[in-house]
Amino acid sequence: MKREIKFRAYSSHNHKMYPVSNIEWDTDGRIWVTADDGKNGIELIDEEAHLMQYTGLHDKNGREIYEGDLFEHKFGYTVFDEPPHAEMGTECGVVAFDNGQFVVSTPGWGGRNLYELLLLNGHLNDMPDSDLFTMKVVGNKFENPELMEAQHE
């Protein structure tokens, strides 16, 4: 599978997300990131720059998916009460690169292959959209940490 290689960076100093135009390492091993701020570009150094790689995939709304993105996954399940009935659930996971693949990590489930989840849920073929089994990017772990915190309550 051929995909575009690109990055974005979150600046912990400016508290903003930027597209990345260049990444370099100096002789001391420090990373220097040139980010596009819409003006002249800015330099981010080491711990200030949190790099995230583009996965080459899009969510159900056509939004590019990067490492660090938070995915909302709606799913249906059966509750075996009296009487049995169907309910909808929602979970939020973070996109990460693990063991040579992009995964969505969710509490209690660990990492699940991102491509397979999107394919399973119809986002990579011609299945019609519905509220059932939808996956979409709802933020990222730097700008929206409250979405992950809600999963642990």
Side-chain angles (χ1 to χ4, degrees):
M1 174 168 66
K2 184 178 175 184
R3 67 178 175 85
E4 182 178 11
I5 305 294
K6 62 183 178 178
F7 292 85
R8 69 180 184 192
Y10 179 77
S11 167
S12 55
H13 177 73
N14 297 329
H15 304 287
K16 292 177 96 175
M17 192 72 68
Y18 298 102
V20 170
S21 57
N22 191 39
I23 304 169
E24 296 180 20
W25 286 263
D26 65 18
T27 56
D28 296 328
R30 289 182 303 183
I31 188 170
W32 293 76
V33 175
T34 305
D36 181 7
D37 65 351
K39 300 174 188 165
N40 298 324
I42 60 170
E43 294 287 328
L44 306 174
I45 305 169
D46 276 343
E47 291 81 25
E48 179 188 356
H50 302 276
L51 283 174
M52 291 160 273
Q53 187 174 4
Y54 174 51
T55 66
L57 300 171
H58 296 83
D59 74 357
K60 76 176 215 93
N61 297 320
R63 185 173 175 179
E64 293 179 340
I65 303 170
Y66 284 82
E67 284 180 273
D69 278 343
L70 299 178
F71 244 90
E72 180 183 81
H73 179 206
K74 292 184 180 180
F75 55 94
Y77 59 94
T78 302
V79 176
F80 292 101
D81 287 342
E82 286 299 326
H85 60 282
E87 291 188 4
M88 289 291 292
T90 302
E91 64 185 355
C92 195
V94 64
V95 177
F97 191 76
D98 186 37
N99 289 322
Q101 63 183 345
F102 289 102
V103 298
V104 177
S105 294
T106 53
W109 283 95
R112 292 179 281 179
N113 182 283
L114 174 63
Y115 180 81
E116 290 175 3
L117 281 172
L118 291 171
L119 187 62
L120 173 72
N121 292 310
H123 301 307
L124 300 180
N125 56 30
D126 294 328
M127 285 178 63
D129 288 336
S130 72
D131 283 340
L132 187 60
F133 298 111
T134 59
M135 296 183 69
K136 63 182 177 181
V137 175
V138 292
N140 65 70
K141 68 181 185 180
F142 297 104
E143 296 173 313
N144 311 99
E146 71 281 358
L147 296 176
M148 286 303 295
E149 291 167 8
Q151 290 292 300
H152 298 289
E153 294 176 352

PDB file of all heavy atoms in Angstrom, residues 24 44-45 54 59 66 72 77 85 88 98 107-108 123 127:
ATOM      1  N   GLU A  24      14.825  17.618  11.388  1.00  0.00           N
ATOM      2  CA  GLU A  24      16.273  17.409  11.377  1.00  0.00           C
ATOM      3  C   GLU A  24      16.747  17.044  12.780  1.00  0.00           C
ATOM      4  O   GLU A  24      16.092  17.379  13.766  1.00  0.00           O
ATOM      5  CB  GLU A  24      17.001  18.679  10.928  1.00  0.00           C
ATOM      6  CG  GLU A  24      16.713  19.092   9.512  1.00  0.00           C
ATOM      7  CD  GLU A  24      17.457  20.361   9.119  1.00  0.00           C
ATOM      8  OE1 GLU A  24      18.464  20.702   9.780  1.00  0.00           O
ATOM      9  OE2 GLU A  24      17.023  21.005   8.158  1.00  0.00           O
ATOM     10  N   LEU A  44      10.559  24.212  16.306  1.00  0.00           N
ATOM     11  CA  LEU A  44      10.235  23.535  17.557  1.00  0.00           C
ATOM     12  C   LEU A  44      11.399  22.607  17.883  1.00  0.00           C
ATOM     13  O   LEU A  44      11.911  21.925  16.996  1.00  0.00           O
ATOM     14  CB  LEU A  44       8.945  22.735  17.423  1.00  0.00           C
ATOM     15  CG  LEU A  44       7.709  23.495  16.933  1.00  0.00           C
ATOM     16  CD1 LEU A  44       6.558  22.541  16.715  1.00  0.00           C
ATOM     17  CD2 LEU A  44       7.326  24.578  17.916  1.00  0.00           C
ATOM     18  N   ILE A  45      11.822  22.564  19.136  1.00  0.00           N
ATOM     19  CA  ILE A  45      13.003  21.795  19.524  1.00  0.00           C
ATOM     20  C   ILE A  45      12.633  20.744  20.566  1.00  0.00           C
ATOM     21  O   ILE A  45      11.946  21.037  21.545  1.00  0.00           O
ATOM     22  CB  ILE A  45      14.095  22.726  20.092  1.00  0.00           C
ATOM     23  CG1 ILE A  45      14.424  23.824  19.083  1.00  0.00           C
ATOM     24  CG2 ILE A  45      15.352  21.942  20.448  1.00  0.00           C
ATOM     25  CD1 ILE A  45      15.278  24.931  19.641  1.00  0.00           C
ATOM     26  N   TYR A  54       1.099  10.805   9.777  1.00  0.00           N
ATOM     27  CA  TYR A  54      -0.143  10.556   9.043  1.00  0.00           C
ATOM     28  C   TYR A  54      -0.236   9.062   8.731  1.00  0.00           C
ATOM     29  O   TYR A  54       0.729   8.447   8.302  1.00  0.00           O
ATOM     30  CB  TYR A  54      -0.127  11.390   7.756  1.00  0.00           C
ATOM     31  CG  TYR A  54      -1.254  11.149   6.800  1.00  0.00           C
ATOM     32  CD1 TYR A  54      -2.584  11.177   7.208  1.00  0.00           C
ATOM     33  CD2 TYR A  54      -0.991  10.925   5.457  1.00  0.00           C
ATOM     34  CE1 TYR A  54      -3.611  10.980   6.306  1.00  0.00           C
ATOM     35  CE2 TYR A  54      -2.016  10.739   4.545  1.00  0.00           C
ATOM     36  CZ  TYR A  54      -3.319  10.766   4.978  1.00  0.00           C
ATOM     37  OH  TYR A  54      -4.334  10.574   4.077  1.00  0.00           O
ATOM     38  N   ASP A  59     -11.089   9.124   8.144  1.00  0.00           N
ATOM     39  CA  ASP A  59     -12.248   8.633   8.898  1.00  0.00           C
ATOM     40  C   ASP A  59     -13.505   8.725   8.037  1.00  0.00           C
ATOM     41  O   ASP A  59     -13.436   9.056   6.851  1.00  0.00           O
ATOM     42  CB  ASP A  59     -12.396   9.374  10.232  1.00  0.00           C
ATOM     43  CG  ASP A  59     -12.910  10.800  10.094  1.00  0.00           C
ATOM     44  OD1 ASP A  59     -13.117  11.293   8.961  1.00  0.00           O
ATOM     45  OD2 ASP A  59     -13.110  11.445  11.142  1.00  0.00           O
ATOM     46  N   TYR A  66      -4.139  10.814  12.040  1.00  0.00           N
ATOM     47  CA  TYR A  66      -2.749  10.882  12.492  1.00  0.00           C
ATOM     48  C   TYR A  66      -2.590  10.125  13.805  1.00  0.00           C
ATOM     49  O   TYR A  66      -3.564   9.931  14.546  1.00  0.00           O
ATOM     50  CB  TYR A  66      -2.332  12.335  12.759  1.00  0.00           C
ATOM     51  CG  TYR A  66      -2.052  13.148  11.528  1.00  0.00           C
ATOM     52  CD1 TYR A  66      -3.083  13.744  10.799  1.00  0.00           C
ATOM     53  CD2 TYR A  66      -0.747  13.351  11.095  1.00  0.00           C
ATOM     54  CE1 TYR A  66      -2.816  14.500   9.673  1.00  0.00           C
ATOM     55  CE2 TYR A  66      -0.468  14.112   9.975  1.00  0.00           C
ATOM     56  CZ  TYR A  66      -1.508  14.684   9.268  1.00  0.00           C
ATOM     57  OH  TYR A  66      -1.240  15.427   8.155  1.00  0.00           O
ATOM     58  N   GLU A  72     -13.703   8.159  18.075  1.00  0.00           N
ATOM     59  CA  GLU A  72     -14.956   7.757  18.708  1.00  0.00           C
ATOM     60  C   GLU A  72     -15.509   6.602  17.890  1.00  0.00           C
ATOM     61  O   GLU A  72     -15.616   6.692  16.670  1.00  0.00           O
ATOM     62  CB  GLU A  72     -15.950   8.908  18.721  1.00  0.00           C
ATOM     63  CG  GLU A  72     -17.268   8.540  19.359  1.00  0.00           C
ATOM     64  CD  GLU A  72     -18.244   9.680  19.289  1.00  0.00           C
ATOM     65  OE1 GLU A  72     -18.864   9.850  18.219  1.00  0.00           O
ATOM     66  OE2 GLU A  72     -18.365  10.407  20.289  1.00  0.00           O
ATOM     67  N   TYR A  77     -24.748  -3.521  20.611  1.00  0.00           N
ATOM     68  CA  TYR A  77     -24.565  -4.781  21.330  1.00  0.00           C
ATOM     69  C   TYR A  77     -25.898  -5.211  21.933  1.00  0.00           C
ATOM     70  O   TYR A  77     -26.828  -4.420  22.054  1.00  0.00           O
ATOM     71  CB  TYR A  77     -23.485  -4.652  22.405  1.00  0.00           C
ATOM     72  CG  TYR A  77     -23.763  -3.587  23.453  1.00  0.00           C
ATOM     73  CD1 TYR A  77     -24.390  -3.914  24.652  1.00  0.00           C
ATOM     74  CD2 TYR A  77     -23.393  -2.271  23.238  1.00  0.00           C
ATOM     75  CE1 TYR A  77     -24.647  -2.950  25.606  1.00  0.00           C
ATOM     76  CE2 TYR A  77     -23.636  -1.303  24.189  1.00  0.00           C
ATOM     77  CZ  TYR A  77     -24.255  -1.638  25.369  1.00  0.00           C
ATOM     78  OH  TYR A  77     -24.505  -0.684  26.311  1.00  0.00           O
ATOM     79  N   HIS A  85     -32.439  -6.956  24.806  1.00  0.00           N
ATOM     80  CA  HIS A  85     -32.635  -5.778  23.960  1.00  0.00           C
ATOM     81  C   HIS A  85     -31.282  -5.256  23.451  1.00  0.00           C
ATOM     82  O   HIS A  85     -30.240  -5.579  23.999  1.00  0.00           O
ATOM     83  CB  HIS A  85     -33.371  -4.681  24.740  1.00  0.00           C
ATOM     84  CG  HIS A  85     -32.649  -4.213  25.966  1.00  0.00           C
ATOM     85  ND1 HIS A  85     -32.646  -4.937  27.135  1.00  0.00           N
ATOM     86  CD2 HIS A  85     -31.890  -3.126  26.183  1.00  0.00           C
ATOM     87  CE1 HIS A  85     -31.914  -4.294  28.042  1.00  0.00           C
ATOM     88  NE2 HIS A  85     -31.437  -3.204  27.485  1.00  0.00           N
ATOM     89  N   MET A  88     -26.811   0.934  22.219  1.00  0.00           N
ATOM     90  CA  MET A  88     -25.659   1.526  21.553  1.00  0.00           C
ATOM     91  C   MET A  88     -24.615   1.879  22.606  1.00  0.00           C
ATOM     92  O   MET A  88     -24.952   2.308  23.704  1.00  0.00           O
ATOM     93  CB  MET A  88     -26.050   2.813  20.810  1.00  0.00           C
ATOM     94  CG  MET A  88     -26.896   2.592  19.580  1.00  0.00           C
ATOM     95  SD  MET A  88     -26.008   1.790  18.247  1.00  0.00           S
ATOM     96  CE  MET A  88     -24.848   3.062  17.790  1.00  0.00           C
ATOM     97  N   ASP A  98       2.263   0.814  16.687  1.00  0.00           N
ATOM     98  CA  ASP A  98       2.698  -0.245  17.583  1.00  0.00           C
ATOM     99  C   ASP A  98       2.992  -1.512  16.779  1.00  0.00           C
ATOM    100  O   ASP A  98       2.153  -1.938  15.982  1.00  0.00           O
ATOM    101  CB  ASP A  98       1.604  -0.515  18.624  1.00  0.00           C
ATOM    102  CG  ASP A  98       2.012  -1.499  19.682  1.00  0.00           C
ATOM    103  OD1 ASP A  98       3.187  -1.488  20.100  1.00  0.00           O
ATOM    104  OD2 ASP A  98       1.150  -2.293  20.107  1.00  0.00           O
ATOM    105  N   PRO A 107      -9.213   1.531  26.312  1.00  0.00           N
ATOM    106  CA  PRO A 107      -9.118   0.910  27.628  1.00  0.00           C
ATOM    107  C   PRO A 107      -9.798  -0.458  27.630  1.00  0.00           C
ATOM    108  O   PRO A 107     -10.907  -0.611  27.132  1.00  0.00           O
ATOM    109  CB  PRO A 107      -9.853   1.886  28.545  1.00  0.00           C
ATOM    110  CG  PRO A 107      -9.843   3.184  27.809  1.00  0.00           C
ATOM    111  CD  PRO A 107      -9.857   2.832  26.355  1.00  0.00           C
ATOM    112  N   GLY A 108      -9.104  -1.450  28.127  1.00  0.00           N
ATOM    113  CA  GLY A 108      -9.677  -2.777  28.242  1.00  0.00           C
ATOM    114  C   GLY A 108      -9.519  -3.656  27.015  1.00  0.00           C
ATOM    115  O   GLY A 108      -9.659  -4.864  27.087  1.00  0.00           O
ATOM    116  N   HIS A 123     -15.837   1.903   6.274  1.00  0.00           N
ATOM    117  CA  HIS A 123     -15.338   3.215   5.891  1.00  0.00           C
ATOM    118  C   HIS A 123     -14.374   3.161   4.717  1.00  0.00           C
ATOM    119  O   HIS A 123     -14.036   4.194   4.153  1.00  0.00           O
ATOM    120  CB  HIS A 123     -14.677   3.905   7.084  1.00  0.00           C
ATOM    121  CG  HIS A 123     -15.611   4.087   8.234  1.00  0.00           C
ATOM    122  ND1 HIS A 123     -16.829   4.702   8.111  1.00  0.00           N
ATOM    123  CD2 HIS A 123     -15.515   3.710   9.524  1.00  0.00           C
ATOM    124  CE1 HIS A 123     -17.445   4.706   9.279  1.00  0.00           C
ATOM    125  NE2 HIS A 123     -16.668   4.103  10.150  1.00  0.00           N
ATOM    126  N   MET A 127     -19.981   0.707   1.648  1.00  0.00           N
ATOM    127  CA  MET A 127     -21.111   0.482   2.555  1.00  0.00           C
ATOM    128  C   MET A 127     -21.750   1.822   2.908  1.00  0.00           C
ATOM    129  O   MET A 127     -21.058   2.820   3.078  1.00  0.00           O
ATOM    130  CB  MET A 127     -20.647  -0.204   3.840  1.00  0.00           C
ATOM    131  CG  MET A 127     -20.340  -1.673   3.651  1.00  0.00           C
ATOM    132  SD  MET A 127     -19.753  -2.435   5.182  1.00  0.00           S
ATOM    133  CE  MET A 127     -21.176  -2.229   6.236  1.00  0.00           C
TER     134      MET A 127
END
